Amino acid sequence: MTETGSVGVVKTKYFTFKDEFFFESGRVISSVTVAYETYGKLNEAKDNAILVCHALTGSAHAAGYNRADEQRPGWWDSMIGPGKAFDTDKYFVICTNFLGSCFGTTGPSSVDPSTGKRYGLRFPVVTIRDMVHLQKKLIDHLGIKQLFCVAGGSMGGMQALEWGATYPDSVKSIIPIATGAYIIPMSIAFNAIAKFAIMKDPRWNGGDYYDSEIPVDGLAIARMAGHITYLSDPAFHNKFGRRYANFEGIYDFKGMFEVENYLRYNGYKFTETFDANTYLYVLKTMDIFDLSYGRGNLEEALSLIKAKSLFMTFTSDFLFPSYQTEEIVGILKGQGKDTSWENITSDYGHDAFLLEFEVQTQLINDFLKRV
């Protein structure tokens, strides 16, 4: 593999569109701010831009470090940089914080300029199509007429699919990873547990908690439910087994297995940086996404895509099982589209798109050369 490096220290940028933003639901807000980061250089022809879309709780900080003393790099640092899958010596990589998030782009935790208070549940329900519309506004603002590629995993993969169908002439290729044209009922069920946990926390207060205590317990439990879906049976065995977190406490009712301790720690750690209302909103976004909505059926929706496509799935991912992608690729091939699919053997579960970077790098490098 090519010697890899870092994009170094990068700063998150912000741009506010002061014209009205229309949501798919028909709701309107007066202005919208988008947070984004860029890596590499945009060439003179402006045809080397790649948009990377983040997943459920990600941010625009995809690579490098926001500060010289930052301990952890961006969420896809292993994939973005000189010599990496998205080679910043060749490409101008953009990552936007999607609409409805709490990491700089306008969302339910933002202040409504008309009231001076946080939107909370007054914020419109956000769809994947809404997110893509805002990304397109930013791409237009940057003077880019056609993206070389749109890529992402999980909810980021949904955005890549939506780009292909909504703006077929504005994207040359797409790489949807560990995703689907909609989520399966089991995923909706896990999301329901997460939503109930937040809304049943008395501190949630109908979403109006910004001037008081946040619903820490509800949000932590919600995140615990999510973490279960990100791993796989082999991953749980390899990472925790049946090991006890504290042997002396095995007969103590409050004693915990390592897996319990892991869920508890990560659940409460999550509450330090993420907003409870935002979590409700993004879960709703994932639940209601259906690429075929307003387009007839899935075949008709996929017929809109002109971009070359590379799909990647993982054998142990039960959140987005590979049969979903098999159906999509089968339809695209039947329509004569230039598409390929790799079902990667991995025990990491859904999290594999964040961890199996070596095999993804090779596949992405080969695909982008063909594009």
Side-chain angles (χ1 to χ4, degrees):
M1 233 172 87
T2 308
E3 183 67 21
T4 59
S6 172
V7 295
V9 177
V10 293
K11 287 189 176 180
T12 305
K13 303 168 188 173
Y14 303 88
F15 188 82
T16 299
F17 295 97
K18 296 185 178 179
D19 54 327
E20 293 181 330
F21 185 86
F22 290 80
F23 288 75
E24 191 178 353
S25 64
R27 297 278 304 279
V28 184
I29 57 176
S30 58
S31 66
V32 61
T33 296
V34 59
Y36 68 102
E37 289 187 6
T38 63
Y39 322 100
K41 293 183 179 179
L42 186 62
N43 64 17
E44 196 171 335
K46 295 188 176 182
D47 62 0
N48 69 330
I50 292 178
L51 176 66
V52 166
C53 304
H54 68 76
L56 191 74
T57 58
S59 70
H61 185 38
Y65 299 86
N66 284 153
R67 304 182 315 275
D69 62 346
E70 190 176 19
Q71 297 300 306
R72 293 183 65 183
W75 59 269
W76 228 10
D77 187 73
S78 59
M79 300 284 284
I80 301 169
K84 298 182 182 181
F86 301 103
D87 189 349
T88 51
D89 288 336
K90 296 179 183 178
Y91 306 112
F92 178 65
V93 181
I94 308 160
C95 183
T96 74
N97 183 217
F98 60 49
L99 181 65
S101 183
C102 55
F103 293 126
T105 297
T106 303
S109 64
S110 302
V111 174
D112 179 352
S114 67
T115 65
K117 295 182 178 180
R118 310 257 192 158
Y119 280 105
L121 297 195
R122 292 176 293 277
F123 198 73
V125 168
V126 182
T127 67
I128 296 292
R129 209 167 294 177
D130 292 328
M131 294 175 178
V132 168
H133 285 324
L134 181 58
Q135 289 164 349
K136 179 63 162 59
K137 283 174 73 73
L138 179 66
I139 297 305
D140 290 344
H141 167 70
L142 296 174
I144 299 166
K145 292 184 178 179
Q146 185 184 50
L147 289 164
F148 187 75
C149 183
V150 177
S154 193
M155 187 184 270
M158 291 177 169
Q159 294 163 64
L161 274 172
E162 189 65 51
W163 260 95
T166 302
Y167 296 109
D169 295 316
S170 298
V171 57
K172 202 169 184 179
S173 64
I174 58 173
I175 306 177
I177 307 170
T179 194
Y182 47 81
I183 66 171
I184 59 177
M186 186 206 69
S187 301
I188 296 174
F190 270 102
N191 288 350
I193 294 170
K195 288 186 281 189
F196 280 129
I198 292 171
M199 292 187 289
K200 290 300 181 182
D201 188 318
R203 286 170 292 195
W204 182 62
N205 191 33
D208 188 16
Y209 54 82
Y210 292 107
D211 294 325
S212 56
E213 291 184 276
I214 68 170
V216 175
D217 293 335
L219 182 56
I221 295 167
R223 188 57 171 173
M224 291 180 207
H227 268 292
I228 295 170
T229 69
Y230 304 150
L231 301 179
S232 67
D233 183 43
F236 275 109
H237 275 287
N238 295 335
K239 197 175 181 73
F240 311 108
R242 287 183 47 81
R243 294 185 298 277
Y244 216 66
N246 187 339
F247 183 77
E248 287 74 22
I250 195 166
Y251 298 112
D252 181 349
F253 184 76
K254 293 182 179 180
M256 291 187 290
F257 285 93
E258 282 190 5
V259 65
E260 293 177 283
N261 198 41
Y262 166 84
L263 291 174
R264 180 184 176 86
Y265 173 80
N266 283 284
Y268 281 95
K269 187 72 176 173
F270 181 68
T271 68
E272 297 173 9
T273 57
F274 211 83
D275 173 60
N277 282 337
T278 299
Y279 203 54
L280 291 174
Y281 269 76
V282 294
L283 289 175
K284 178 75 171 179
T285 299
M286 180 171 271
D287 284 350
I288 64 178
F289 174 67
D290 188 335
L291 190 69
S292 67
Y293 183 74
R295 293 167 172 149
N297 55 34
L298 184 57
E299 288 84 355
E300 290 172 291
L302 292 171
S303 71
L304 299 171
I305 296 176
K306 296 179 182 178
K308 294 180 181 180
S309 55
L310 167 64
F311 290 81
M312 286 187 276
T313 54
F314 301 92
T315 53
S316 58
D317 184 355
F318 74 94
L319 192 60
F320 286 99
S322 57
Y323 66 75
Q324 288 189 285
T325 291
E326 186 176 16
E327 179 187 19
I328 293 170
V329 172
I331 293 170
L332 288 171
K333 285 187 174 179
Q335 294 173 346
K337 304 290 176 65
D338 187 338
T339 186
S340 57
W341 168 41
E342 294 289 340
N343 191 25
I344 299 164
T345 301
S346 173
D347 285 344
Y348 285 125
H350 186 62
D351 269 352
F353 81 94
L354 297 169
L355 301 169
E356 296 281 11
F357 64 89
E358 288 190 16
V359 62
Q360 289 182 93
T361 294
Q362 187 61 57
L363 291 168
I364 291 169
N365 279 339
D366 293 344
F367 173 70
L368 294 179
K369 286 175 186 175
R370 294 200 308 273
V371 175

